[in-house]
């Protein structure tokens, strides 16, 4: 290729786009002059928007506002970037936005914002039946003769020069067929305004060459740059725009108090939670807190929300529970000395001193079981006296503990606490307990104030009772204040609680269950359910639920690949060959998931040795990267991938974990509990797969 050839082609393409935009602008301006719309300002703005109709947009002008006698809607615009409700203003004074208020010429103009938001809510309701999420419906106030690019709340303020580039720079949300269907639907919902001479959907006449006039109405360079930017934008995932209408209804619903969304794996609970966060952020001036237990999920979820609804992304705080609590305590001046290793050392010494030779070793000699008892049953529930512990139901714990056993546990706790305090350190439960005390004290001093308008807890089943009480204390029982998202079957940590224990009352339609799986094919879901089919579980609403639940499926093109080899080396070679065989770009949506950190180290070395790029899930932030994701089953919670590889998946469970088999020795209650938890973790990993689930085994 000759030097400069690429630059020459780019220049030719830019000139071609410029000629096309000039021609479209001329035709649009000529047609706009013929319309009998309300003002010269609307004609000028309409001419700008008509240019977009050559790029797959549909423009509806001067429509009746349904439900009113005479009110009208200036314009509705439907295109690849979504649905836009447009209110055109031709004010003599320049608009000013400050502190969430709109003024012009020194006079308040907030009533115009309120009207536009009301019309937008009507449009949201109109397209909800089509499954269009509220994040794809945006209100715009466009000012003829002005230059502005600002906002008041969720209303974007644009000048007539800024409107075209702004819309072309929107991320692509809708396909062409969706644009047509939504525009046709809105035409019926918002009929022609009575007396209007404007036709149905505005489209320009066939374009023809012309000589552009320098009348200052058309920012050709800005629009051309925006068009080129549009070409570089990758389409965002369709689920970010379209949900099932029932899911859209949950996103938009007004709840009178705390609410919960539950449902089996793959039913879109997290997706609804993210859309709900964007919806609430657009409708309140306060901040939204979106909390989950895992440390890696907040980064991924923040990336998704930024793609879905960039206008409100900075209004939603995505945090892991413990990182939020630590930061909150730091702000309050409460000293926290969190040190996991020193706390573990304190527990190991306590077990050596008072636990190893006690009656606890007869039930389970593994100290980890009793550390979990302290972490999840005692400290995780905020229990401070032995009598309280002696009476508490130990949910999701199989072993029967009589009073002498509980006394031995309490002695172990007291020894651990003494050694921990002696070393001057806190554990993770201490952080939450301290934060809860501070939040409750702050609520007592300022009963009418709250730092958050709403709190959404994702994977709520993985939190401790104290963690849930902490989040509840931030917003109380305020309408739309607390949303709990999760599924008890996907709990990957021991212990449990009921919402009633936290003082949370989810009654009536504030408890919603999703029943349609949008992620997994029947083959993949059947394989996963076979692992937990015999494991009933206690959900946080107190109901005992069977392991195999009926769900409706929408996806049927998946595949389960089972590989069994006589040696680990042969097993691993098949895995490497499968990963190497992925087509270009497919690694970005593939994950290798392992039951332990030790296994993670093994496969990280293996894949790196074979030059297969790896991105650890603990570093993954949700942005596309051409590397195989690698992490533990627990780290994969809340995520999904087209292809999931589970090497040595059966070693995640002790031998005979799937079934004891005839003649097998009876297992202790603690072993049964441990195996049930491992099956739950494997189930979670298997249900991360959409297209391919690869299950590797070594026939030892």
């Amino acid at each position: 290729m000759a030097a400069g050839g690429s630059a020459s082609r780019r220049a030719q393409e830019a000139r071609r786009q410029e000629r096309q935009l000039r021609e479209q602008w001329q035709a649009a301006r000529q047609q706009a002059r013929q319309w009998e719309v309300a003002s010269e300002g609307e004609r000028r703005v309409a001419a700008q928007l008509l240019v977009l109709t050559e790029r797959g947009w549909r423009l509806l002008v001067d429509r009746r506002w349904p439900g009113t006698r005479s009110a009208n809607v200036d314009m509705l615009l439907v295109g690849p970037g979504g649905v836009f409700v447009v209110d055109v203003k031709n004010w003599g004074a320049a608009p000013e936005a400050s502190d969430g208020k709109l003024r012009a010429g020194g006079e308040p103009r907030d009533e115009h914002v309120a009207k536009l938001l009301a019309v937008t809510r009507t449009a949201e309701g109109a397209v909800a039946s089509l499954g269009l999420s509220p994040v794809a419906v945006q209100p715009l106030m466009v000012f003829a003769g002005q230059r502005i690019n600002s906002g008041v709340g969720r209303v974007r303020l644009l000048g007539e020069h800024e409107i075209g580039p702004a819309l072309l720079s929107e991320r692509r949300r809708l396909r062409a067929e969706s644009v047509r269907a939504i525009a046709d639907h809105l035409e019926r919902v918002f009929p022609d305004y009575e007396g209007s001479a404007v036709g149905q959907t505005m489209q320009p006449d066939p374009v023809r060459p012309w000589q552009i006039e320098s009348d200052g109405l058309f920012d050709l360079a800005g629009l051309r740059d925006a068009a080129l930017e549009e070409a570089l934008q990758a389409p965002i995932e369709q689920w970010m725009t379209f949900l099932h209408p029932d899911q859209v209804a949950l996103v938009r619903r007004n709840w009178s108090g705390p609410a919960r969304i539950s449902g089996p794996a793959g039913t879109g609970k997290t997706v609804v939670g993210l859309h709900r966060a964007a919806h609430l952020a657009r409708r309140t001036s306060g901040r939204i807190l979106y909390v989950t237990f895992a440390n890696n999920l907040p980064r991924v979820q923040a990336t998704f929300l930024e793609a879905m609804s960039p206008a409100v992304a900075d209004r939603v705080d995505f945090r892991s529970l413990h990182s939020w609590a630590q930061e909150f305590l730091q702000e309050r001046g409460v000293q926290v000395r969190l040190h996991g290793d020193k706390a573990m050392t304190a527990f190991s010494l306590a077990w050596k001193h008072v636990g190893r030779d006690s009656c606890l070793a007869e039930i389970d000699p593994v100290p980890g079981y009793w550390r979990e008892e302290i972490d999840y049953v005692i400290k995780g529930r905020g229990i401070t006296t032995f009598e309280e512990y002696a009476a508490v139901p130990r949910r999701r714990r199989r072993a029967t503990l009589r009073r002498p056993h509980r006394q031995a546990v309490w002695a172990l706790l007291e020894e651990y606490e003494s050694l921990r305090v002696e070393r001057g350190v806190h554990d993770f439960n201490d952080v939450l307990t301290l934060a809860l005390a501070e939040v409750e004290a702050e609520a007592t001093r300022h009963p009418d104030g709250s730092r958050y308008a709403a709190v959404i807890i994702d994977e709520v089943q993985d939190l401790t009772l104290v963690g849930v009480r902490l989040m509840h204390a931030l917003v109380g029982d305020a309408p739309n204040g607390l949303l709990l998202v999760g599924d008890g079957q996907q709990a990957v940590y021991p212990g449990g609680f009921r919402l009633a224990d936290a003082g949370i009352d989810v009654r009536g339609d504030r408890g919603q269950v999703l029943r349609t799986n949008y992620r997994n094919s029947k083959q993949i879901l059947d394989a996963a359910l076979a692992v937990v089919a015999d494991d009933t579980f206690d959900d946080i609403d107190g109901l005992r639920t069977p392991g195999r639940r009926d769900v409706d499926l929408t996806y049927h093109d998946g595949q389960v690949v089972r590989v069994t080899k006589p040696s680990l080396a042969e097993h691993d070679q098949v895995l490497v060959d499968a990963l190497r065989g992925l087509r270009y770009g497919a690694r970005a949506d593939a994950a290798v998931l392992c039951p332990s950190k030790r296994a993670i180290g093994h496969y990280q070395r293996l894949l790196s040795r074979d030059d297969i790029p790896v991105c650890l899930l603990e570093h993954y932030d949700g942005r596309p990267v051409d590397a195989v994701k690698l992490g533990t089953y627990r780290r994969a919670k809340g995520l999904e991938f087209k292809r999931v590889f589970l090497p040595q998946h059966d070693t995640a469970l002790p031998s005979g974990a799937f079934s004891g088999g005839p003649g097998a020795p009876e297992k202790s209650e603690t072993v049964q509990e441990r195996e049930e938890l491992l099956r739950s973790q494997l189930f979670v990993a298997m249900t991360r797969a959409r297209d391919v689930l690869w299950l590797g085994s070594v026939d030892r």
Side-chain angles (χ1 to χ4, degrees):
M1 179 182 295
S6 176
S8 176
R9 285 199 307 275
R10 289 175 179 266
Q12 291 174 9
E13 173 62 17
R15 286 193 293 271
R16 186 192 67 78
Q17 289 218 20
E18 179 176 347
R19 286 194 303 272
Q20 183 184 54
L21 290 170
R22 287 173 183 268
E23 293 166 0
Q24 292 171 2
W25 166 241
Q26 171 70 350
R29 192 173 65 165
Q30 288 176 350
Q31 184 174 2
R33 284 171 176 164
Q34 300 171 7
W35 294 347
E36 296 179 6
V37 289
S39 69
E40 172 64 21
E42 281 192 39
R43 282 195 290 273
R44 286 153 50 181
V45 172
Q48 295 277 23
L49 299 181
L50 273 170
V51 175
L52 300 177
T53 61
E54 286 296 313
R55 296 176 173 272
W57 294 70
R58 291 271 296 276
L59 178 62
L60 284 69
V61 179
D62 203 19
R63 317 301 293 187
R64 176 179 291 280
W65 183 356
T68 67
R69 289 188 175 183
S70 59
N72 76 310
V73 182
D74 288 346
M75 300 176 190
L76 294 168
L77 188 67
V78 186
V83 176
F84 297 86
V85 183
V86 183
D87 186 16
V88 180
K89 299 300 181 186
N90 195 8
W91 295 344
E96 300 175 358
S98 178
D99 298 326
K101 301 292 184 181
L102 178 64
R103 303 178 69 87
E107 297 294 327
R109 303 292 179 95
D110 291 328
E111 71 276 10
H112 298 276
V113 174
K115 176 187 174 183
L116 177 56
L117 289 174
V119 179
T120 303
R121 286 192 290 270
T122 301
E124 287 178 353
V127 297
S129 62
L130 303 178
L132 190 67
S133 169
V135 303
V137 183
Q138 303 179 53
L140 302 178
M141 193 172 289
V142 184
F143 297 89
Q146 304 288 344
R147 282 193 173 274
I148 184 173
N149 189 346
S150 183
V152 175
R154 66 175 297 205
V155 176
R156 190 171 181 183
L157 310 178
L158 296 167
E160 67 177 55
H161 297 282
E162 288 75 28
I163 181 67
L167 292 176
L168 280 177
S169 66
E170 285 283 331
R171 294 179 183 268
R172 185 177 298 275
R173 297 177 182 274
L174 306 179
R175 298 174 179 175
E177 57 270 25
S178 299
V179 171
R180 290 193 295 270
I182 292 169
D184 290 345
H185 181 65
L186 288 176
E187 270 191 330
R188 293 188 292 270
V189 176
F190 292 82
D192 282 342
Y193 188 71
E194 185 177 351
S196 171
V198 180
Q200 290 283 319
T201 305
M202 297 299 107
Q203 303 286 357
D205 292 330
V207 297
R208 52 186 180 274
W210 66 291
Q211 185 68 32
I212 192 167
E213 300 173 14
S214 297
D215 55 8
L217 297 179
F218 188 63
D219 185 1
L220 183 62
L223 192 53
R224 183 176 62 243
D225 291 343
L228 293 175
E229 275 295 312
E230 177 201 28
L232 298 175
Q233 290 285 355
I236 64 173
E237 295 293 333
Q238 287 300 306
W239 65 259
M240 292 183 178
T241 296
F242 282 97
L243 305 175
H244 187 278
D246 291 345
Q247 293 176 313
V248 176
L250 295 182
V251 171
R252 302 178 65 240
R253 179 168 295 183
N254 282 318
W255 277 303
S256 59
R260 186 195 176 198
I261 296 175
S262 62
T267 53
K269 298 179 295 296
T270 293
V271 173
V272 172
L274 288 172
H275 283 262
R276 178 71 174 176
H279 177 75
L280 293 175
R282 289 180 166 198
R283 281 157 180 77
T284 178
S285 58
R287 300 194 65 77
I288 312 299
L289 177 61
Y290 197 106
V291 166
T292 190
F293 184 82
N295 288 323
N296 60 311
L297 266 184
R299 293 192 303 272
V300 177
Q301 292 163 334
T303 297
F304 287 166
L305 189 74
E306 173 65 29
M308 284 166 49
S309 191
V312 299
D314 62 348
R315 300 262 320 285
V316 182
D317 297 332
F318 288 93
R319 303 298 302 273
S320 68
L321 176 66
H322 288 95
S323 69
W324 181 89
Q326 285 180 263
E327 184 175 303
F328 170 72
L329 290 171
Q330 185 177 9
E331 292 174 357
R332 303 287 299 171
V334 178
Q335 187 175 10
V336 176
R337 299 177 299 278
L338 181 63
H339 200 297
D341 290 342
K342 289 184 178 180
M344 180 59 72
T345 298
F347 177 80
S348 297
L349 289 173
W351 175 256
K352 178 181 178 181
H353 294 165
V354 303
R356 185 172 58 189
D357 297 326
S358 72
C359 59
L360 299 181
E362 301 171 0
I363 296 177
D364 196 317
V366 179
Y369 185 86
W370 304 109
R371 175 65 191 265
E372 291 170 351
E373 182 78 7
I374 290 173
D375 282 344
Y376 294 97
V377 179
I378 301 178
K379 297 188 72 171
R381 294 180 65 94
I383 293 174
T384 57
T385 67
F386 170 72
E387 291 305 322
E388 187 180 0
Y389 172 56
V392 71
R394 301 169 59 253
R395 306 195 189 283
R396 294 215 309 257
R397 304 233 87 183
R398 285 179 174 267
T400 301
L401 297 187
R402 295 184 173 86
R403 189 175 182 88
H405 300 124
R406 297 202 186 204
Q407 288 173 330
V409 172
W410 198 260
L412 178 62
L413 167 71
E414 290 181 328
E415 179 70 7
Y416 163 62
E417 288 293 277
S418 175
L419 293 169
R420 179 187 62 76
V421 172
E422 179 182 301
R423 284 159 173 74
V425 298
H426 294 109
D427 61 24
F428 286 103
N429 280 300
D430 296 325
V431 173
L432 300 186
T433 300
L434 290 169
L436 175 59
E438 284 297 314
V439 169
E440 290 177 339
E442 188 175 83
T444 301
R445 291 190 296 269
H446 308 287
D448 297 328
S450 175
R451 60 179 54 219
Y452 292 104
V455 172
I456 298 174
I457 306 176
D458 201 359
E459 305 290 357
V460 62
Q461 72 278 355
D462 289 335
L463 271 62
T464 62
L465 179 62
V466 171
V468 174
R469 288 176 55 200
L470 170 60
M471 294 294 99
H472 182 214
L474 288 174
V475 290
D477 295 328
N480 299 315
L482 180 66
L483 176 62
L484 310 170
V485 180
D487 172 37
Q489 190 173 34
Q490 298 179 68
V492 296
Y493 297 96
F497 60 89
R498 293 181 178 178
L499 290 179
D501 300 333
I504 299 174
D505 183 8
V506 176
R507 61 179 63 186
D509 67 352
R510 288 192 272 122
Q512 294 288 323
V513 182
L514 302 176
R515 304 187 187 278
T516 301
N517 185 306
Y518 299 96
R519 178 196 304 148
N520 308 122
S521 69
K522 184 178 187 303
Q523 299 93 324
I524 292 173
L525 188 60
D526 283 348
L529 286 173
V531 174
V532 296
D534 297 329
D535 295 334
T536 59
F537 64 93
D538 286 321
D539 208 348
I540 60 175
D541 57 8
L543 296 178
R544 189 75 175 165
T545 307
R548 184 178 289 277
R549 293 183 283 177
D550 293 331
V551 296
D552 298 324
L553 297 174
T554 62
Y555 184 62
H556 302 281
D557 295 329
Q559 179 184 13
V560 177
V561 178
R562 298 182 184 272
V563 173
T564 302
K565 292 296 177 181
S567 69
L568 178 60
E570 291 173 282
H571 165 280
D572 287 352
Q573 187 59 52
V574 176
L575 172 65
V576 168
D577 291 343
L579 293 173
R580 279 178 172 168
L582 294 178
R583 69 181 186 278
Y584 178 77
R587 285 183 301 217
D589 214 353
V592 174
L593 304 180
C594 304
S596 66
K597 291 183 178 180
R598 180 179 180 181
I600 291 297
H602 169 74
Y603 285 104
Q604 184 175 13
R605 291 188 296 271
L606 176 70
L607 300 185
S608 298
R609 185 192 68 195
D610 284 271
D611 296 324
I612 296 175
V614 169
C615 173
L616 294 176
L617 283 184
E618 58 190 278
H619 301 146
Y620 176 54
D621 65 0
R623 292 179 171 84
V625 54
D626 187 28
V628 174
K629 311 306 177 297
L630 178 63
T632 62
Y633 295 170
R634 291 178 178 181
R635 287 279 188 187
K637 292 207 70 175
L639 303 175
E640 63 179 71
F641 305 93
K642 291 182 180 179
R643 297 167 185 81
V644 169
F645 298 81
L646 303 183
Q648 304 181 73
H649 78 287
D650 48 352
T651 60
L653 305 172
S655 60
F658 286 100
S659 62
E666 186 176 353
K667 299 174 183 177
S668 70
E669 291 178 314
T670 58
V671 169
Q672 292 179 50
E673 178 186 326
R674 193 173 295 119
E675 291 180 354
E676 185 175 320
L677 187 61
L678 289 170
R679 285 193 294 271
S680 179
Q681 294 169 359
L682 178 59
F683 171 77
V684 167
M686 296 172 75
T687 55
R688 301 309 95 193
R690 197 191 81 179
D691 294 346
V692 177
L693 174 62
W694 190 95
L695 300 174
S697 302
V698 177
D699 189 10
R700 301 180 188 277

